């Protein structure tokens, strides 16, 4: 095989869309030999956060802006495989009460799932994107990313973050909070800085104790600040000096009104939210006593692409999160492994008949590994406790929908089926997990007595939704049969058929 052919086969076309609180960004790139080659890059100011009403709902105009932007992005995704694409939503979508409505309409328009990610997961992906952009630079870094609704601060070294935080402060949110009537004064600017300092105070001591050699800024506000400073002759576009930031602060206050903010190097569509973003940046400099900050092109969307490359590999950060939870909650490893092995045997035998995906296999395995973590709280209702821990923990690598799906599998692994959740329209995604639930329940049932050697000789058949379990005669002892009879009752209560050899 020629080198040219091999190179072509090794290239993957990847795509990421970042649905930010201020801007939506599209990045399409070819990935080969550990590098991204950009194919298409677009960004639009959608200002979702500014489109939240007093009840924290997106207005019709904000929804229309978002959907129109995604329609313009859609043609760039036509040559990208579904598994090589990821669309993530951040702070504004985390905050809006009607986010699910927008997501449903957007998914229908663009034909791909949209995931809302947590603040710390957003911070991790930002660090991943920035670290790859700075791959040649070694030492511990402080990464700062000021977005429309939140600000992420990360300390890390090489490609490993050591501290991750997402704070509730952003240029769009602070514009509405401190400059709502459009006026800019020293007093208002300082109030915005003090609010940001108050947010940072929760992590200030921890971060300064960890320390860093290289402060790095990424994304819109910091990019704009560096560009304005350079355009006005006060520094280099790749570095923000403390004195230059002070001059920028004074110039912004001198404008007096947001509508009058116009500066060389500043895009018109960012002008209204720029003072609030600079106020947050000034607070970061003050809180951490920074003299300078370098700007890096790497950001969330680049991090999403590099994370996509590592998924379903030993480097998948989701695997590490599951292992960490097992350790934290003292899981019985032997029992978890036996249940997981049995569940995967059933999965492999039924994958073709039930058209199950490899990603579903991974989630079934993780659910089996974590199904008993609730025992660390109480034996009573431990499946509910386990589901709560999974859904509400910061699990690196998992989006919120992924955590909810994993939590649902653990919640449903014993006792009565949680039918109410599956019948709720807003939770229709749970229906896709029912078949995995049945396999997990059976694996748990077959290991009720916690045998030292796992049950790896059961056979599973399915005709539609009717499921049959065939056990070797040596396995058919009274306790096992009793457990299977009870499981058949539970499944029959929700209209499912389970039979077995008695």
């Amino acid at each position: 095989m020629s080198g040219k052919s091999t190179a072509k086969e090794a290239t993957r076309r990847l795509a990421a869309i970042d649905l930010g609180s201020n801007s939506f960004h599209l990045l399409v790139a070819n990935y080969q030999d550990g590098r991204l080659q950009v194919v298409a890059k677009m960004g639009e100011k959608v200002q979702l956060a500014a489109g939240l009403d007093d009840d924290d709902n997106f207005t019709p105009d904000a929804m229309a802006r978002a959907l129109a932007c995604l329609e313009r992005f859609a043609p760039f995704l036509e040559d990208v495989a579904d598994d090589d694409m990821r669309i993530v939503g951040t702070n504004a979508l985390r905050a809006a009460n009607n986010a699910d409505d927008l997501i449903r309409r957007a998914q229908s328009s663009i034909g791909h799932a949209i995931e809302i990610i947590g603040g710390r997961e957003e911070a991790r992906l930002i660090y991943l994107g920035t670290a790859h952009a700075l791959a040649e630079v070694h030492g511990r870094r402080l990464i700062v990313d000021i977005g429309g609704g939140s600000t992420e601060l990360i300390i890390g070294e090489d490609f490993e973050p050591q501290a991750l935080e997402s704070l509730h402060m952003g240029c769009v949110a602070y514009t509405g909070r401190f400059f709502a009537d459009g006026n800019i004064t020293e007093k208002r600017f300082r109030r915005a800085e003090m609010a940001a300092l108050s947010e940072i105070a929760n992590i200030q001591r921890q971060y300064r104790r960890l320390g860093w050699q290289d402060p790095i800024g990424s994304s819109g506000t910091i990019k704009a600040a560096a560009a304005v400073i350079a355009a006005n002759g006060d520094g280099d576009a790749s570095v923000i000096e403390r004195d230059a930031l002070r001059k920028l602060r004074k110039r912004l206050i001198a404008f007096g009104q947001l509508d009058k903010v116009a500066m060389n190097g500043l895009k018109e569509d960012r002008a209204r939210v720029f003072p609030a973003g600079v106020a947050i940046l000034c607070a970061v400099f003050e809180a951490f006593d920074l003299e300078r900050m370098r700007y890096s092109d790497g950001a969330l969307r680049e991090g999403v692409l590099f994370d996509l490359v590592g998924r379903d590999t030993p480097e998948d950060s989701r695997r590490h999160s599951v292992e960490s939870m097992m350790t934290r909650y003292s899981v019985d490893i032997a029992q978890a492994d036996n249940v997981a092995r049995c569940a995967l045997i059933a999965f492999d035998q039924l994958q073709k008949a039930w058209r199950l995906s490899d990603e579903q296999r991974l989630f079934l395995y993780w659910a089996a590994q974590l199904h008993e973590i609730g025992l660390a709280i109480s034996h009573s209702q431990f499946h509910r406790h386990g589901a709560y821990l999974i859904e509400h923990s910061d699990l690196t690598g998992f989006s919120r929908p992924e955590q909810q799906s994993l939590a649902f599998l653990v919640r449903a692994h014993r006792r009565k089926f949680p039918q109410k959740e599956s019948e709720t329209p807003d939770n229709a995604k749970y229906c896709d997990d029912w078949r995995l639930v049945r396999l997990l329940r059976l694996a748990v049932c077959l290991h009720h007595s916690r045998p030292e050697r796992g049950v790896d000789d059961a056979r599973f058949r399915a005709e539609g939704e009717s499921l049959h379990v065939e056990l070797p005669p040596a396995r058919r002892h009274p306790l096992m049969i009793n457990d299977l009879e009870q499981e058949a009752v539970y499944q029959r209560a929700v209209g499912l058929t389970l039979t077995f050899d008695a």
Side-chain angles (χ1 to χ4, degrees):
M1 186 176 289
S2 69
K4 183 177 179 181
S5 175
T6 301
K8 186 175 182 181
E9 289 177 358
T11 301
R12 288 175 65 185
R13 177 67 60 89
L14 306 174
I17 297 179
D18 159 20
L19 308 180
S21 300
N22 189 40
S23 304
F24 284 10
H25 291 277
L26 163 77
L27 178 62
V28 181
N30 288 333
Y31 177 81
Q32 185 179 16
D33 299 328
R35 296 180 179 275
L36 295 176
Q37 181 181 16
V38 175
V39 174
K41 195 172 187 177
M42 290 181 66
E44 291 192 18
K45 295 288 185 296
V46 175
Q47 295 193 316
L48 268 186
L52 286 169
D53 63 21
D54 293 339
D55 296 320
D56 284 334
N57 287 310
F58 291 129
T59 64
D61 284 347
M63 286 199 176
R65 291 196 302 272
L67 294 170
C69 177
L70 289 175
E71 285 180 6
R72 287 188 285 274
F73 285 175
F76 295 92
L77 305 175
E78 291 176 357
D79 296 330
V80 183
D82 220 39
D83 290 342
D84 288 333
M85 184 190 320
R86 197 172 177 203
I87 306 174
V88 298
T90 59
N91 187 265
L93 284 164
R94 291 195 290 265
N97 292 322
N98 63 342
D100 285 347
D101 184 27
L102 174 57
I103 288 172
R104 276 196 297 271
R105 294 169 63 184
Q107 288 178 159
S108 175
S109 171
I110 208 163
H112 189 80
I114 295 173
E115 310 168 49
I116 299 178
I117 56 175
R120 287 182 178 167
E121 175 63 4
E122 181 181 356
R124 184 188 72 87
L125 292 171
I126 288 168
Y127 181 79
L128 191 59
T130 307
H132 276 279
L134 300 167
E136 79 289 351
V137 181
H138 299 286
R140 191 172 292 172
R141 309 153 177 152
L142 168 68
I143 308 293
V144 181
D145 187 301
I146 300 170
S150 64
T151 294
E152 281 64 50
L153 297 104
I154 312 101
I155 292 178
E157 193 164 353
D158 294 327
F159 299 113
E160 292 298 322
Q162 297 168 359
L164 296 162
E165 195 55 74
S166 179
L167 303 180
H168 295 292
M169 55 188 195
C171 61
V172 177
Y174 269 36
T175 297
R177 183 175 170 186
F178 298 104
F179 307 104
D181 61 1
N183 293 320
I184 312 171
T185 65
E186 168 66 36
K187 184 176 181 180
R188 288 170 182 237
F189 209 97
R190 187 56 184 164
R191 283 178 58 207
E193 289 173 330
M194 291 301 294
L197 285 167
S198 178
E199 288 285 333
I200 297 169
N202 293 318
I203 64 169
Q204 188 175 4
R205 182 176 297 177
Q206 174 198 358
Y207 273 48
R208 295 192 73 157
R209 185 169 59 246
L210 278 172
W212 56 84
Q213 289 80 48
D214 197 12
I216 305 289
S218 68
S219 293
T221 289
I222 295 174
K223 179 181 181 180
V228 169
I229 287 171
N232 288 275
D234 291 326
D236 188 304
S238 63
V239 179
I240 299 173
E241 301 283 353
R242 187 169 191 160
D243 288 343
L245 184 60
R246 285 173 177 160
K247 288 181 183 179
L248 176 59
R249 180 187 188 278
K250 289 179 181 179
R251 291 184 64 199
L252 287 170
I253 293 171
F255 282 113
Q257 292 182 322
L258 296 179
D259 290 341
K260 293 182 179 180
V261 174
M263 311 175 84
N264 291 335
L266 181 64
K267 294 180 180 179
E268 186 177 343
D269 59 5
R270 181 169 286 277
R272 281 192 65 85
V273 299
F274 189 54
V278 170
I280 294 170
L281 182 57
C282 288
V284 171
F285 266 69
E286 183 177 342
F288 297 120
D289 197 23
L290 303 180
E291 290 299 326
R292 64 200 302 271
M293 175 182 287
R294 294 197 300 127
Y295 169 72
S296 168
D297 274 329
L300 175 60
R301 50 202 170 275
E302 286 82 7
V304 169
L305 293 191
F306 280 111
D307 194 57
L308 262 176
V309 172
R311 285 205 157 190
D312 303 332
T313 72
E315 287 72 42
D316 192 334
S317 56
R318 297 175 298 177
R319 295 176 186 265
H320 302 312
S321 291
V322 170
E323 291 168 3
S324 177
M325 286 203 89
M326 293 175 71
T327 300
R328 186 185 315 161
Y329 296 109
S330 303
V331 165
D332 181 338
I333 301 296
Q335 176 72 356
D337 286 346
N338 284 338
V339 171
R341 191 178 304 110
C342 181
L344 294 187
I345 288 171
F347 182 99
D348 293 341
Q349 291 177 18
L350 298 174
Q351 183 172 13
K352 185 175 180 180
W354 276 356
R355 297 180 181 178
L356 301 170
S357 70
D358 290 341
E359 183 77 355
Q360 286 176 304
R361 188 179 194 274
L362 201 52
F363 272 74
L364 177 60
Y365 174 75
W366 288 333
Q369 292 280 291
L370 296 175
H371 77 280
E372 289 190 333
I373 63 170
L375 288 172
I377 296 176
S378 171
H379 190 280
S380 175
Q381 302 291 311
F382 74 83
H383 53 304
R384 294 178 182 270
H385 300 315
Y388 182 89
L389 290 172
I390 292 170
E391 184 169 355
H392 297 283
S393 295
D394 281 315
L395 296 186
T396 299
F398 286 92
S399 66
R400 286 190 174 183
E402 287 177 332
Q403 283 189 227
Q404 289 168 346
S405 291
L406 189 58
F408 179 72
L409 292 178
V410 171
R411 160 72 179 85
H413 89 265
R414 66 193 290 264
R415 301 293 177 87
K416 292 181 180 179
F417 278 68
Q419 195 172 10
K420 184 182 293 186
E421 284 97 326
S422 69
E423 291 175 344
T424 304
D426 287 343
N427 291 312
K429 60 181 176 294
Y430 289 127
C431 296
D432 295 335
D433 295 326
W434 273 116
R435 286 172 167 172
L436 301 188
V437 165
R438 297 179 75 187
L439 301 185
L440 178 59
R441 290 175 68 94
L442 280 172
V444 171
C445 182
L446 295 177
H447 291 83
H448 183 194
S449 63
R450 309 181 84 85
E452 189 172 325
R453 178 178 175 273
V455 179
D456 56 7
D457 48 3
R459 294 294 174 262
F460 303 85
R461 299 195 311 273
E463 292 183 12
E465 297 306 315
S466 295
L467 184 58
H468 181 80
V469 182
E470 180 182 340
L471 291 171
R475 296 282 188 186
R476 301 173 195 173
H477 50 76
L479 178 59
M480 181 82 78
I481 297 303
N482 183 70
D483 289 340
L484 287 170
E485 287 174 347
Q486 180 59 63
E487 179 59 24
V489 171
Y490 284 137
Q491 297 207 17
R492 190 159 54 246
V494 291
L496 299 171
T497 300
L498 171 67
T499 56
F500 54 91
D501 298 319

